[in-house]
Structures are given as C-alpha cells and as structure tokens.
C-alpha cells in the first residue's frame, strides 16, 4: 500500500500522541492541551520519559507533555504567548527562568520534517550509490558519520545509502528505527565533497527506500541549522512539527562543556 501525505501525517500524529501521552486529535485543536508525561514502550526509543516539559506544535496549538508538579508554570506560559512565540526568544526566557529555579533549563529546540510524496523522488549525483544495512555500519561509528549513525543506539541503525568515489565512502545517509512506524534519517558528507548535491541524493534515495518498506521517514534538525533544513526541503521533505524540551540544568551544563 502506497502511503499518501495525509496517511503519513496521521502516522506522525499518532506517534506524537504516544510520545506525549495524549490523543492524535489534540494536536489539531485550536486550544492548547496539557498532558501528563508517562513512560511508554511504543514511544520514540531515544526519548527519556517521563518529560519534565516538552512543548509540541503542528502549527495549530501547543500540546505540552509535563510532570504534574510543573503544570502551573507551563499552563501560565503557553496561555500568555502565541504558539509560535512560545518556541522562540524573547518569550522562551520566561519559561527557562521559571524552570531554572527548580534545576531545569530549556535544552532542545527542533524542527521535524515529513516527506511530501507528491514531490519526493530519488535524486542523482555524479557518484556511485549503494544500499547498505546494519552489517555495513560496523566500522563506521566514527566522527565523520556521527549524524548518520548513533554509536549509543547501534541496534536501531537499520538501513542506509552510501556514496562512493573510487571505492571510498564519501557520503552516508542512514536511518534509525526510532519507533515501530517511523524511521529517522541522518546524513553526513565529507567536507571536501560537499555542495555537489550528494546529501540530497542520499537523503531522497533513502526516504524512498524507507517508504518502500512500509515505514515513514522523518528528518529532524535544529531550527537554526539552515544547511540541514535546505537539504530536507531539496530532498522532498516539508516542515511538519516543532518541539522544545526542558532538561536538567546538569545535563545542559554537561552538553556545554
């Protein structure tokens, strides 16, 4: 069965609902929704649940999945500012300041992309491309391929596409089976081979391969990562939802060292 854009979005909404402990319809409401975060074996496998606070928006409203003790902080924040402004400065500082008193800070701000099947097609580049699977990744958990592969979750890296020049791997897009229905794409290209259309060729080809296996490919980057967002769009993806996550101050400090 070929997936349509509406089917793909519904799958994403249902996964977000699992992750947030709410219903898929909550993301389409006009009013904001607050849900109490809980562990769930079907959630994206890299999530550390329960959340202290995670704000999610598909554009209509905000669904906040939280620890109950911080309900007043979050409810006050998302009711005071517009949906878009809750995810950016200067308003974001209000949330950060409130949580910092409890030993937490705003940590992750990410934009998520889904494929538009009306434009998605495998793009080409001048280099040979090969389909790869988990056994081909064994020696590739190095700094060069740290966006495409995750050493901490090797068991989730299931499929990839590599670009080769004279037998040398010069670009890699790979995906992790982060949940039962959706596989996340990451991509790396060696510096000396960039700006030649390799990243979009790899990303688009991998997205097609994922869809052919009955899974939904998704792509994530920081909102400020313009190069990555451009690659997503060139590869046939479109922005679909955003998230902003509060983590412990200790974790944030550790990441900044």
């Amino acid at each position: 069965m070929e997936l349509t854009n509406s089917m793909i979005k519904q799958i994403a909404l249902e996964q977000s609902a699992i992750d947030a402990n709410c219903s898929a319809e909550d993301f389409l409401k006009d009013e904001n929704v607050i849900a109490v975060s809980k562990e769930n074996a079907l959630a994206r496998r890299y999530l550390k649940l329960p959340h202290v606070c995670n704000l999610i928006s598909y554009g209509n409203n905000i669904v906040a999945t939280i620890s109950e003790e911080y309900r007043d902080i979050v409810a006050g924040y998302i009711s005071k500012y517009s949906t878009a402004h809750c995810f950016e400065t200067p308003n974001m500082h209000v949330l950060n300041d409130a949580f910092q008193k409890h030993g937490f800070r705003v940590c992750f701000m990410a934009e998520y992309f889904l494929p538009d099947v009306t434009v998605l097609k495998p793009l080409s580049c001048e280099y040979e491309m090969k389909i790869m699977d988990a056994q081909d990744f064994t020696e590739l958990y190095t700094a060069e391929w740290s966006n495409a592969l995750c050493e901490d979750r090797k068991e989730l890296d299931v499929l990839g596409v590599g670009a080769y020049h004279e037998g040398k791997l010069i670009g890699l897009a790979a995906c992790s089976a982060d949940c039962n229905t959706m596989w996340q794409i990451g991509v790396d290209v060696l510096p000396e081979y960039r700006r030649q259309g390799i990243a979009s060729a790899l990303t688009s080809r991998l997205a097609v391969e994922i869809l052919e296996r009955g899974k939904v490919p998704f792509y994530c980057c920081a909102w400020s990562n313009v190069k990555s967002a451009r690659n997503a769009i060139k590869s046939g993806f479109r922005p679909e939802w955003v998230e902003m996550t509060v983590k412990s101050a200790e974790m944030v400090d550790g990441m900044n060292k």
Side-chain angles (χ1 to χ4, degrees), residues 204-256:
S204 60
R205 175 71 180 276
L206 181 56
V208 170
E209 294 288 335
I210 293 170
L211 285 167
E212 288 179 351
R213 288 160 174 78
K215 306 296 183 181
V216 171
F218 72 103
Y219 188 105
C220 173
C221 69
W223 66 267
S224 55
N225 193 339
V226 176
K227 289 191 294 184
S228 187
R230 283 176 177 166
N231 177 59
I233 292 168
K234 184 178 179 181
S235 301
F237 286 75
R238 299 294 181 263
E240 193 61 55
W241 81 95
V242 294
E243 299 190 21
M244 187 168 75
T245 312
V246 172
K247 292 289 186 180
S248 70
E250 182 181 10
M251 176 179 171
V252 174
D253 289 341
M255 295 178 70
N256 283 331

Side-chain angles (χ1 to χ4, degrees), residues 24-94:
E25 292 74 23
D26 286 338
F27 298 99
L28 305 179
K29 293 179 178 178
D30 292 328
E31 68 273 10
N32 295 326
V33 174
I34 296 179
V36 176
S37 182
K38 293 182 179 179
E39 292 184 9
N40 191 321
L42 297 178
R44 281 176 284 162
R45 295 179 176 96
Y46 58 87
L47 295 179
K48 306 296 184 184
L49 299 178
H51 284 298
V52 172
C53 172
N54 190 46
L55 305 185
I56 307 165
S57 179
Y58 277 76
N60 285 30
N61 67 344
I62 295 174
V63 172
T65 178
I66 63 164
S67 295
E68 178 63 46
E69 61 193 291
Y70 303 112
R71 178 181 291 270
D72 289 346
I73 291 175
V74 178
Y77 179 71
I78 64 176
S79 64
K80 185 175 182 179
Y81 305 109
S82 68
T83 295
H85 288 170
C86 281
F87 289 85
E88 64 181 12
T89 57
N91 300 147
M92 183 194 73
H93 292 300
V94 173

Side-chain angles (χ1 to χ4, degrees), residues 157-216:
D157 294 330
V158 293
L159 185 66
V161 180
Y164 293 83
H165 182 209
E166 298 178 350
K168 174 185 176 182
L169 182 67
I170 61 169
L172 173 65
C175 62
S176 54
D178 288 336
C179 51
N180 292 344
T181 57
M182 302 177 71
W183 292 359
Q184 181 172 193
I185 293 177
V187 61
D188 288 292
V189 176
L190 296 181
E192 61 269 31
Y193 290 92
R194 292 172 186 168
R195 297 189 178 183
Q196 299 182 52
I198 299 171
S200 56
L202 293 171
T203 303
S204 60
R205 175 71 180 276
L206 181 56
V208 170
E209 294 288 335
I210 293 170
L211 285 167
E212 288 179 351
R213 288 160 174 78
K215 306 296 183 181
V216 171

Side-chain angles (χ1 to χ4, degrees), residues 132-153:
M132 306 169 71
D133 58 28
Q135 65 184 10
D136 299 312
F137 302 148
T138 305
E139 304 300 323
L140 299 179
Y141 288 93
T142 60
E144 296 110 315
W145 315 116
S146 60
N147 289 311
L149 301 171
C150 181
E151 187 169 14
D152 293 337
R153 299 185 297 274

